[in-house]
């Protein structure tokens, strides 16, 4: 390995809803020297749940696939799915499976918490976000109400990435980025909010310490992983914060991520506080902010429509006036947790290809609607959109984004951006550098460039009208 690497080796981990990925990266050049991946299982029937123990086992499998390179790493960082509620007993074992971010069962608790603590504007000003069903605070309220025995047995509450960091190091540590998605970390004070914790019956002592940007969580103490004992472990962060690091984002650069879920975000220097709840006012992993909007229905929903139509996902046809809002799993942005898919404007001449294109339009529309709220006032209105995630490789997704946004698009060549961002955080810790500057040195945002297309205002207007006119159906 030594001859292949110019500098020390670091490991970046992406622990997502579906799998764990691990990359071994040269800290100087960004070259990926080894990679591994192991799947997760999501169950829970009506909800979305996972056994945290399988994340640990998947981490071990992914690192083992990296071979000798992982055993030579000097530092490691974990980027993890946000918002998940991990409840541990006094022995540190999971009380029950973790509630995942895309479990919308806590919708009633979310609405009640917002009302009980001053309304949406008060939450936005205090916490930076209005806590929708995804937020950990709503999940904890759900658990206390629906499974009081489990809540009573809980001695510690962690986010998914915190759980892995604690098993790696023996230290209970999180970071400001992931903590900002809980609903009990206040962006105004950059600390846990005692009033909210008291209201939901959660002792502050059950929560991990929030590390400062650039601070280590500890060193590797775990003996059941193919990692060198004593290697540095960074604080880690949430997956969206890690992807922002992986792109080396500067303030005002908009990102549109097309995965199972869709996200749109940008780094901002001003603390965000959107009282409509459209934008989550997250912190980033560096000391700035990461205003972000997330949709539940993205590539998975459009692929489902393609399957129902018996068509390849790229077999779209532009034209026609059919509109589809593909909210197959309820929706987070707009906040419609009980919604189902809505189709309007079917005609005799509507073709399967046009109906599939309408599904793409509806998914992209939900993200682009939030873009203006995400971007800081100083952001350039014609700044290129960085298109990432699995959908970014698809022509139909890319062309839909170009047509509905009117912006130029850049598709970075680097694909495993959460793991790369975690690796950049580990490299920054090891080398004493800004992790975003490390990623820029690695050139992670380079990729194919596509010029702006004229914006399709007619399609936009049809989507806007259908969303407004269908409100009663979508809220059922």
């Amino acid at each position: 390995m030594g001859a292949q690497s110019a500098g020390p080796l670091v490991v970046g981990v992406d622990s997502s809803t579906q799998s764990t990925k691990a990359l071994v990266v040269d800290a100087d050049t960004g070259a990926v020297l080894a990679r591994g991946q192991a799947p997760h299982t999501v169950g829970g029937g009506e909800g979305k749940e996972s056994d945290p123990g399988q994340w640990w086992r998947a981490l071990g499998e992914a690192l083992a696939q990296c071979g000798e390179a992982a055993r030579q790493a000097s530092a490691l960082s974990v980027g993890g799915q946000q918002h998940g509620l991990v409840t541990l007993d006094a022995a540190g074992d999971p009380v029950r499976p973790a509630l995942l971010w895309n479990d919308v069962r806590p919708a009633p608790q979310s609405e009640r918490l917002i009302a009980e603590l001053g309304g949406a504007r008060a939450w936005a000003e205090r916490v930076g976000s209005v806590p929708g069903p995804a937020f950990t605070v709503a999940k904890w309220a759900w658990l206390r109400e629906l499974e009081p025995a489990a809540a009573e047995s809980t001695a510690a509450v962690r986010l998914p990435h915190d759980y892995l960091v604690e098993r790696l190091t023996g230290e209970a540590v999180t970071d400001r980025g992931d903590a900002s998605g809980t609903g009990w970390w206040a962006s105004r004070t950059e600390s846990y909010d005692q009033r909210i914790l008291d209201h939901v019956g959660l002792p502050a002592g059950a929560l991990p310490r929030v590390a400062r940007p650039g601070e280590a969580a500890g060193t590797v103490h775990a003996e059941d992983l193919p990692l060198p004992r004593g290697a540095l472990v960074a604080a880690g962060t949430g997956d969206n914060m890690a992807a922002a690091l992986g792109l080396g984002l500067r303030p005002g650069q908009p990102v549109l991520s097309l995965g199972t879920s869709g996200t749109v975000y940008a780094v901002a220097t001003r603390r965000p506080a959107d009282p409509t709840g459209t934008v989550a006012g997250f912190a980033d992993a560096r000391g700035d902010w990461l205003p972000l909007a997330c949709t539940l229905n993205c590539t998975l929903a459009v692929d489902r429509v393609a399957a129902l139509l018996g068509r390849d996902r790229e077999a779209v046809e532009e034209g026609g006036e059919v509109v589809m809002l593909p909210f197959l799993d309820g929706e987070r942005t707009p906040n419609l947790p009980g919604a189902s898919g809505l189709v309007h404007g079917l005609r005799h001449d509507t073709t399967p290809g046009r109906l599939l294109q309408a599904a793409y339009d509806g998914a992209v529309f939900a993200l682009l609607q939030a873009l203006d709220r995400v971007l800081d006032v100083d952001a350039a209105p014609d700044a290129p959109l960085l298109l990432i995630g699995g959908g970014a490789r698809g022509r139909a997704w890319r062309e839909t984004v170009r047509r509905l946004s009117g912006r130029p698009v850049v598709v970075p060549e680097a694909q495993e951006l959460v793991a790369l961002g975690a690796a950049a955080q580990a490299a920054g810790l090891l080398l004493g550098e800004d992790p975003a500057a490390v990623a820029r040195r690695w050139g992670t945002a380079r990729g194919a460039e596509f010029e702006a297309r004229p914006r399709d205002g007619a399609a936009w207007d049809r989507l806007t009208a259908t969303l407004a006119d269908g409100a009663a159906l979508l809220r059922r």
Side-chain angles (χ1 to χ4, degrees):
M1 291 304 307
Q4 292 176 265
S5 66
L9 303 186
V10 294
V11 173
V13 175
D14 172 8
S15 180
S16 73
T17 316
Q18 305 291 341
S19 69
T20 293
K21 297 175 186 171
L23 301 181
V24 182
V25 180
D26 183 316
D28 281 352
T29 66
V32 177
L33 303 180
R35 50 171 47 88
Q37 181 170 356
H40 301 163
T41 303
V42 177
E46 182 193 352
K48 299 285 191 293
E49 301 182 353
S50 282
D51 168 23
Q54 72 170 327
W55 303 334
W56 182 252
R57 292 188 293 274
L59 175 60
E61 289 175 35
L63 289 169
Q65 290 170 28
C66 293
E68 186 59 29
R71 299 180 189 278
Q72 295 184 18
S74 300
L76 171 142
S77 175
V78 178
Q81 54 177 311
Q82 288 185 248
H83 303 306
L85 175 69
V86 181
T87 49
L88 305 177
D89 62 20
D93 297 320
V95 171
R96 69 177 314 287
L99 295 178
L100 304 186
W101 70 275
N102 52 349
D103 191 327
V104 296
R105 287 177 295 177
Q109 289 73 25
S110 159
E111 291 180 10
R112 195 166 65 244
L113 283 172
I114 293 165
E116 287 170 350
L117 290 176
R121 182 172 293 278
W123 274 92
E125 289 175 357
R126 188 185 191 103
V127 172
S129 302
V130 182
F135 277 64
T136 324
V137 69
K139 291 177 167 26
W140 173 252
W142 180 91
L143 190 72
R144 288 188 76 214
E145 187 175 332
L146 277 298
E147 298 181 12
E152 189 65 31
S153 300
T154 298
V157 169
R158 301 289 183 262
L159 295 164
H161 113 259
D162 308 342
Y163 170 78
L164 293 171
V165 167
E166 189 165 7
R167 289 199 64 170
L168 279 161
T169 63
E171 302 289 337
V173 178
T174 190
D175 89 303
R176 69 193 290 272
D178 215 2
S180 67
T182 59
W184 51 58
W185 184 89
S187 67
R188 191 173 64 185
T189 59
E190 297 215 29
S191 62
Y192 291 129
D193 190 301
Q194 193 59 54
R195 182 185 171 205
I196 293 171
L197 292 176
D198 289 345
H199 187 78
V200 298
L202 183 61
L207 299 174
R209 176 177 72 84
V210 182
R212 295 184 302 274
E215 188 181 351
T219 58
V220 174
H221 282 212
E223 296 184 352
D224 53 343
L225 293 179
L227 289 169
R229 277 180 65 82
L232 275 175
V233 179
T237 193
D239 52 4
N240 291 298
M241 297 79 195
L245 284 184
L247 288 164
L249 282 190
R250 297 182 191 274
Q253 289 182 283
V255 177
L256 201 150
S257 176
L258 301 166
T260 304
S261 62
T263 53
V264 59
Y265 57 85
V267 171
T269 55
R270 294 177 179 83
R271 184 179 78 92
D274 176 14
T276 72
T278 302
V279 175
F282 295 141
D284 76 352
R286 291 178 57 256
D288 286 326
W289 304 96
L290 197 74
L292 178 147
C294 176
T295 62
L296 285 179
N297 295 279
C298 197
T299 59
L300 202 63
V302 173
D303 283 354
R304 181 62 185 143
V305 173
L308 286 170
L309 294 169
R311 292 178 79 79
D312 181 271
R313 64 168 67 107
E314 294 289 336
V316 295
E317 298 171 38
E318 290 189 16
E321 296 190 352
V322 66
V323 174
M324 186 185 301
L325 298 172
F327 303 157
L328 307 190
D329 285 320
E331 190 43 82
R332 172 170 165 176
T333 305
N335 184 24
L336 298 164
S340 55
L342 183 65
V343 180
H344 176 68
L346 282 176
R347 300 287 186 187
H348 282 288
D349 63 354
T350 301
T351 64
R354 287 178 174 177
L355 195 55
L356 181 55
Q357 180 61 64
Y360 279 98
D361 284 6
V364 169
F365 166 76
L367 284 166
L368 291 178
Q369 260 207 322
L371 182 61
D372 288 341
R373 289 184 180 275
V374 162
L375 287 173
D376 197 296
V377 291
D378 297 332
D382 57 349
L385 270 174
L386 288 174
L387 206 60
I388 66 170
R393 306 285 147 185
R395 185 180 185 280
W397 280 110
R398 185 186 73 233
E399 292 308 307
T400 303
V401 170
R402 290 177 70 201
R403 183 169 54 81
L404 290 181
S405 72
R407 286 176 180 262
V409 165
V410 176
V411 181
E413 289 170 22
Q415 295 187 42
E416 294 150 320
L417 287 164
V418 174
L420 274 175
Q425 189 187 54
L429 177 66
L430 188 65
L431 303 174
E433 292 185 50
D434 172 1
V438 169
R440 289 195 289 270
R441 189 177 77 233
W442 292 352
T444 52
R446 284 196 297 263
E449 300 178 14
F450 302 88
E451 62 186 26
R453 283 180 60 176
R455 190 163 170 271
D456 188 344
W460 188 273
D461 292 344
R462 285 194 298 272
L463 283 154
T464 303
T466 304
L467 180 60
D469 295 344
L473 286 171
L474 292 167
R475 292 189 184 282
R476 257 183 210 171

